[in-house]
Amino acid sequence: MRRRKKMTITDIARLSGVGVSTVSRVLNNHPDVKAETREKVLNIIKEYSYVPNNSARILKQTNTKNVGILVKGVFNPFFSAMLKDISIRVEDAGYTMILHHHDNSNDLDTLIGFIKEKKLQGVICLGGNFLDIKEESLEGVEAAVVLLSVSIQSQKNYDTFSTISIANDEAAYEATHYLIRNGHKNIALLLGEKHDFGIGKLRYKGYKKALEDHKIPLKEENVIYGEYDVATAYGVTKDFLSQHKEVTALFAISDMMAVGAAKAAIDLGFSIGGTISIMGFDGMDVAKYYNPTIATVKQPREEMSRMSVELLLGLMNGSAKNQHIVLDVELLEGKSTRTI
C-alpha cells in the first residue's frame, strides 16, 4: 500500500491557487488576507490534513527577516486600521510579519517573551502599558523595539527602544476645552476600562485639568466606562443618561464608544447636537459618516504607521538611532456638538 506523500506549504499553495506567502499569512493569522481566500486555503489544509512543519518554521524564525507586531487587546478598530498600513510596508520591505494579540497584564514580559520565542529582529507594539519599563529593561534583547500608541512612565530619551505617540493628556484637554468653550459645564467622560493606567489615565488627566482650569467642579459620577466596545458603551451610557438628564455633553475617548453613546442618547429621546453634544477621539471614518457627523480628535494614523515601520527598519539596518516622537493631533468639528 503506497503511503500518501507528505504535504508541503508549496503543495497547499498550488492546490489553493495562491502564492506560498499567502498560505504563510493564513497560517500566521495575518489580517491582510481576503475572507474568501482565507476560507479556500483553510479548506485545502483541512481536506489534506496538512500540519505545518515545525522544524521548518523554527528555522525560518532564526533568520533575520522576521518582524513582530504585538497588539494589546483582541479587537481595537483603530489598531486594526493601522495594522493594514503597517503590514503592507513591512512586507514591501521584504520582511515576514508575525502578528500576536494578547491580553496579558504584564506587557513588558509579554514583549520580551515574544521576541525570544519568535527570534524577532524587530517588533512594533500597538498599545499596552509599559509603565514599569526602564533603560535596562531591554538590555540584552537583540531586537529593535518601537512602542506605538502606548504610555510609558516618563518621557526620558531611553536608548534601548523607541516610541511614537501623541500627547494624550493635552489632546483630551483640548477636546474638553472645546466643549467648555461652547458653553458646556456638565460634561460626562466615557473612558475605556476602569483599571487602565495608560492612555485612559492620561485622557482622564486632560479632562480633569480642563475642568479645573475653568473652575468647573469634577463630578466622579460623571465618569463612566465603556471598555472600548460599542455595545458596552451603549449600555453604560443609557443607564447613566437615564439618571443624569442634566448632562449636556459627553466626551468619549474613542470614536467607537462615541457611536454607542450617541445611539443610547437617541433611544432615550435626546437629539445629538441638540439636547446633548457628543465628542469622540481617534478620527476614524465612522465619526465622519455617522449622522450627524461626530466631532473628534484625529490621531495621525497613517503618519504613525509609516513612521513606525521606517524607524524600525532604520534601527534594524543601523541607519537610525532610538528616538521618541510625539505627533500632533487635529480637532475635527462635527454636527454632534452645539453651543449653548
Side-chain angles (χ1 to χ4, degrees), residues 176-191:
T176 309
H177 173 69
Y178 173 78
L179 293 171
I180 296 171
R181 196 171 70 238
N182 282 282
H184 298 279
K185 294 183 178 180
N186 203 328
I187 304 168
L189 176 67
L190 181 56
L191 292 173

Side-chain angles (χ1 to χ4, degrees), residues 116-136:
K116 292 180 178 178
E117 179 187 350
K118 301 299 183 183
K119 308 286 193 299
L120 301 174
Q121 186 181 355
V123 60
I124 295 173
C125 295
L126 273 174
N129 298 330
F130 291 86
L131 301 179
D132 56 347
I133 198 166
K134 300 178 177 64
E135 179 65 30
E136 63 273 14

Side-chain angles (χ1 to χ4, degrees), residues 107 128-134 151-154 197-198 201:
D107 300 297
N129 298 330
F130 291 86
L131 301 179
D132 56 347
I133 198 166
K134 300 178 177 64
S151 59
I152 59 176
Q153 189 66 49
S154 72
F197 298 107
K201 183 178 180 180

